[in-house]
Amino acid sequence: MAPPSVLALVLGGSVTNSIVTLYSSSLNLQVLGVPWSRYKAIVISAAVTAAGSLCALFLTDFTSSLPSFLSLLIIVFAPWDGVFLTDMPMRRCHYDPPALHAGPDGAYWYRSGYHLAGVAALLVGMAFAALTCDSELWTGPLVAPLGGADLTLLGSLVSGLVYWMLARRTVAPHTDLSCTASTRRPHQARAATPCRNTHTIRSHLTWPSPLTPPTSSCATPVSIPSTRRFPRRRPWQLAHTVKAEQSRHRRR
């Protein structure tokens, strides 16, 4: 048996090597709404890590229990990947970052903070993966009828298909519909009137630089006489148009 000093080094190393993981764990607990402070969450996570290390050292064979435990994680992560990878092309990778932090008023709050279509697809995929998983710690009831085949990875396809069927009518790519679209629900944002993506050139410009266009297509133009509207242009085309317009007014 190894001396106590070696066991202490192994136990202490398992905690010190997990500092980044412990910090992430405390953040995840707070994101989930657990009413713990950062210090308390880190201490509890460290205690759980130490307890797991002791069990792996004295109660089980670590070299065999770790691969078995990791093989069970696919039951959760494969369906989760299926939902996420299906949601991305459905939204064309266009998300509204401010709405993600807007809370109940954001477009992604759905029902009490849960997207029922995503939760249902995740549960269905996890159920399929658990029924077809062939691991040392768990063997699904469908493994024997399938001839011992492990179809856990297909849980991602199942969850993705279920999510597409449930959310295809409600999930849409985010578009810059208005200056306040980030705080609207998806059905409200689709009905909003988009901002005109045109630039108003005035006779007297009040921008910081004569060649600097407005930073947002929703910016309110300066109300000065002699208005001309131009179609949407590239930044270099707009700069040239502004310069030409100013030169024309100087000649007057």
Side-chain angles (χ1 to χ4, degrees):
M1 181 178 180
S5 59
V6 176
L7 297 178
L9 289 175
V10 173
L11 179 60
S14 64
V15 176
T16 55
N17 291 333
S18 303
I19 290 177
V20 177
T21 306
L22 294 175
Y23 181 79
S24 301
S25 175
S26 64
L27 287 179
N28 292 331
L29 290 175
Q30 292 182 334
V31 169
L32 293 175
V34 179
W36 292 346
S37 63
R38 184 71 56 79
Y39 173 79
K40 184 177 181 180
I42 291 178
V43 171
I44 294 176
S45 299
V48 173
T49 302
S53 301
L54 291 174
C55 293
L57 287 174
F58 299 105
L59 300 181
T60 61
D61 185 5
F62 179 77
T63 58
S64 61
S65 59
L66 179 61
S68 300
F69 171 74
L70 294 178
S71 64
L72 292 180
L73 294 180
I74 196 173
I75 297 178
V76 178
F77 286 106
W80 182 87
D81 289 337
V83 174
F84 181 72
L85 295 178
T86 304
D87 186 78
M88 290 181 63
M90 291 177 66
R91 300 181 189 272
R92 299 177 185 175
C93 297
H94 291 169
Y95 294 89
D96 187 6
L100 294 173
H101 306 278
D105 296 330
Y108 304 109
W109 187 252
Y110 298 105
R111 182 171 298 180
S112 300
Y114 295 93
H115 192 192
L116 298 183
V119 175
L122 179 63
L123 294 178
V124 172
M126 289 176 59
F128 177 85
L131 292 175
T132 58
C133 177
D134 186 11
S135 175
E136 294 183 4
L137 299 178
W138 168 258
T139 301
L142 297 182
V143 174
L146 294 174
D150 188 356
L151 304 180
T152 313
L153 287 176
L154 294 182
S156 60
L157 298 178
V158 173
S159 62
L161 180 61
V162 173
Y163 180 75
W164 177 81
M165 294 175 60
L166 296 177
R168 58 178 177 172
R169 298 184 183 276
T170 58
V171 172
H174 168 69
T175 54
D176 189 11
L177 297 174
S178 66
C179 297
T180 59
S182 60
T183 58
R184 297 181 178 179
R185 299 298 177 89
H187 65 279
Q188 296 174 343
R190 284 194 294 268
T193 302
C195 297
R196 292 186 178 182
N197 198 0
T198 57
H199 300 281
T200 303
I201 309 301
R202 308 291 182 176
S203 59
H204 301 285
L205 302 176
T206 59
W207 298 340
S209 173
L211 300 181
T212 303
T215 57
S216 174
S217 61
C218 297
T220 304
V222 183
S223 57
I224 300 177
S226 179
T227 302
R228 294 183 59 189
R229 287 195 174 274
F230 292 87
R232 182 178 181 180
R233 299 175 182 274
R234 297 293 184 266
W236 55 87
Q237 295 174 333
L238 180 63
H240 177 74
T241 303
V242 172
K243 187 175 181 181
E245 187 73 11
Q246 289 181 337
S247 300
R248 186 173 64 85
H249 284 286
R250 292 196 192 98
R251 289 195 297 269
R252 290 182 178 180

